Amino acid sequence: MKRRLLTGAMLLAPAAAQAHFNIAEAPIGRTDLPWWNTRWHETLAQRDAHPNARIVWLGDSITYYWQRQGGHGYDDIKPIWDKYYAPYGALDFGFIGDTTASLIWRLDHGQVAGLHPKLTIILIGANNFGRPHWDANMTAPAIESVVANTHKRLPDTHILLLGVLPCIRGAWVDEQTQATNAALAKYYDGSQTVSFVDLRHLFIENGKVDAGLYVDPRLTPPEPALHPNREGMTRIAETLAPYVRKYAS
């Protein structure tokens, strides 16, 4: 899917002329935020130090959580990473708060330059439904753009695209999450280069999202369930293990 940059001329154009512009697909950097800029350069250094990584994870804070060592057991997640992904020299390119737009910016600015992973795992979209309030009609094609951009830069990798994870942030977010995942499942059905996996079933108990599988409700003060805890991340890793063995070994 071809993406367009927002220009001054477009800003002044009639609404009808902008009808096909999707800001969720526009490359939006966050280098004005010092902590984000530090993380950006940190990941570039990791990229350069590990050119033979067989797995690359691309995503937001949920992906970043693979490195979490909270000290409470339930939030000690890095051991799961060390067991399932470290043996492949995997790289974790997760950024707190990133949307599809910021991940596209990172890809455009060299996030995976010089790498040749056998498997790239993408988990993005949850933040689109937060402050930006980009719905499924914007988010699904934006995720498709992330995948296309990744494939362009890593033509020999297999892409394992994960559905947006379920959370407890309100009915609208849940509706958009399920609609986005349904659209992606349909779009990538039969693809030879992209495997789409919806992990929603891992987090559902008696028809509802199980808050006990998330870190956030146990924070002080508690926050809405969004980031899986050790058990939740273990379920993800075990579910993805057959794909890792097939494509990264």
Side-chain angles (χ1 to χ4, degrees), residues 39 60-68 92 94-96:
R39 172 67 176 159
D60 50 35
S61 57
I62 299 173
T63 294
Y64 183 76
Y65 250 51
W66 283 117
Q67 309 310 312
R68 186 178 178 92
D92 182 345
F95 282 62
I96 296 172

Side-chain angles (χ1 to χ4, degrees), residues 3-5 23 25-29 101-102 104-106 108-109:
R3 292 179 287 106
R4 295 184 293 159
L5 294 177
I23 194 171
E25 298 180 72
I28 300 175
S102 292
I104 288 169
W105 185 95
R106 286 194 274 136
D108 286 352
H109 287 77

Side-chain angles (χ1 to χ4, degrees), residues 1-3 22 24-25 104 107 139-151 188:
M1 182 177 295
K2 186 176 180 180
R3 292 179 287 106
N22 182 4
E25 298 180 72
I104 288 169
L107 290 167
T139 297
I143 293 175
E144 292 163 14
S145 286
V146 168
V147 171
N149 196 319
T150 302
H151 182 68
Y188 292 107

Side-chain angles (χ1 to χ4, degrees), residues 175-217:
E175 290 170 1
Q176 302 312 310
T177 297
Q178 294 192 59
T180 295
N181 291 345
L184 295 172
K186 181 177 181 180
Y187 189 85
Y188 292 107
D189 183 35
S191 173
Q192 299 301 306
T193 58
V194 180
S195 297
F196 175 77
V197 179
D198 189 346
L199 300 170
R200 180 178 177 81
H201 66 285
L202 300 179
F203 298 91
I204 302 299
E205 183 70 28
N206 296 323
K208 296 182 179 181
V209 179
D210 184 358
L213 293 171
Y214 294 80
V215 170
D216 317 82

Side-chain angles (χ1 to χ4, degrees), residues 39 43 46-48 50-59 63 66 81 85-86 88-95 103 106-107 110-123 150 154 157-162 240 244 247-248:
R39 172 67 176 159
T43 60
Q46 292 171 348
R47 175 203 67 188
D48 294 342
H50 302 281
N52 297 318
R54 284 183 283 168
I55 296 177
V56 170
W57 272 81
L58 296 172
T63 294
W66 283 117
W81 172 272
Y85 303 111
Y88 297 89
L91 292 170
D92 182 345
F93 293 155
F95 282 62
L103 179 49
R106 286 194 274 136
L107 290 167
Q111 181 74 93
V112 298
L115 297 176
H116 305 279
K118 292 186 175 182
L119 178 66
T120 300
I121 305 173
I122 299 174
L123 175 58
T150 302
L154 301 173
T157 197
H158 187 84
I159 295 175
L160 180 55
L161 175 63
L162 308 184
L240 302 186
V244 170
Y247 294 108

